[in-house]
Amino acid sequence: MRKAKNSMVIGAALLSACGQPYVAPPDHVDFVGSSGTEVSYDSGFTWNNPQAYDTAFIETRDCMLAAGYKNDRLGENPRSIPPPVVRVVDFMPNGYWGWTDFTNGQITMNIGCTQYRHEMVHYILWRLHYDQKANSAHADPAFKTCV
């Protein structure tokens, strides 16, 4: 029973937002934006627009700040959280275009995806410790107002 229980715990830890499998952090950084957003491209394909990830973080952060998002208990607001690490890949399992890992905050995006702000909402809600189930279910109003 202990082994099965440990396997379930490990399996749960390897899942991220939207139930996607864990993707390892990048082993290098190809671009750092003005906010500090780090973007890494898997080898073997041409970069799209790395600045777009940084711009999406800044715009989404500012939108959520203006909307009053914060965590009073931790003294955090969208401006106080660190920028994300974005890993850009050329293939995503199960046909997903992107996801945010709720164990480490890493954003993984398919090279063809342009839904940058959507993943930034996931990331900012995660950093502010908003309800993870509501975040995964896209139930927060920020998915409509800040995307």
Side-chain angles (χ1 to χ4, degrees):
M1 180 65 174
R2 179 176 289 250
K3 186 175 183 180
K5 189 174 185 178
N6 288 343
S7 295
M8 289 189 308
V9 169
I10 291 168
L14 295 178
L15 293 177
S16 63
C18 304
Q20 292 305 299
Y22 173 79
V23 174
D27 59 3
H28 65 281
V29 174
D30 293 309
F31 172 83
V32 178
S34 62
S35 74
T37 299
E38 295 181 0
V39 181
S40 169
Y41 289 86
D42 278 5
S43 62
F45 58 93
T46 306
W47 291 13
N48 55 359
N49 178 4
Q51 181 60 46
Y53 300 102
D54 191 55
T55 300
F57 173 68
I58 293 167
E59 291 174 352
T60 307
R61 178 195 66 196
D62 291 350
C63 176
M64 292 177 74
L65 184 65
Y69 283 83
K70 60 185 175 179
N71 185 325
D72 288 329
R73 182 175 58 83
L74 297 176
E76 293 180 333
N77 65 57
R79 188 158 315 277
S80 67
I81 65 173
V85 172
V86 179
R87 179 174 177 188
V88 184
V89 298
D90 61 352
F91 171 77
M92 297 275 280
N94 301 327
Y96 281 81
W97 285 97
W99 76 85
T100 300
D101 188 317
F102 290 165
T103 62
N104 64 13
Q106 176 181 299
I107 296 172
T108 304
M109 302 284 291
N110 188 299
I111 187 68
C113 181
T114 57
Q115 298 297 318
Y116 312 124
R117 290 178 70 160
H118 175 95
E119 292 306 322
M120 297 304 168
V121 169
H122 279 303
Y123 173 76
I124 292 167
L125 290 173
W126 173 77
R127 291 297 308 206
L128 293 176
H129 303 277
Y130 273 64
D131 180 73
Q132 184 172 326
K133 286 183 181 179
N135 192 351
S136 291
H138 308 103
D140 195 276
F143 286 103
K144 292 183 178 154
T145 59
C146 293
V147 171

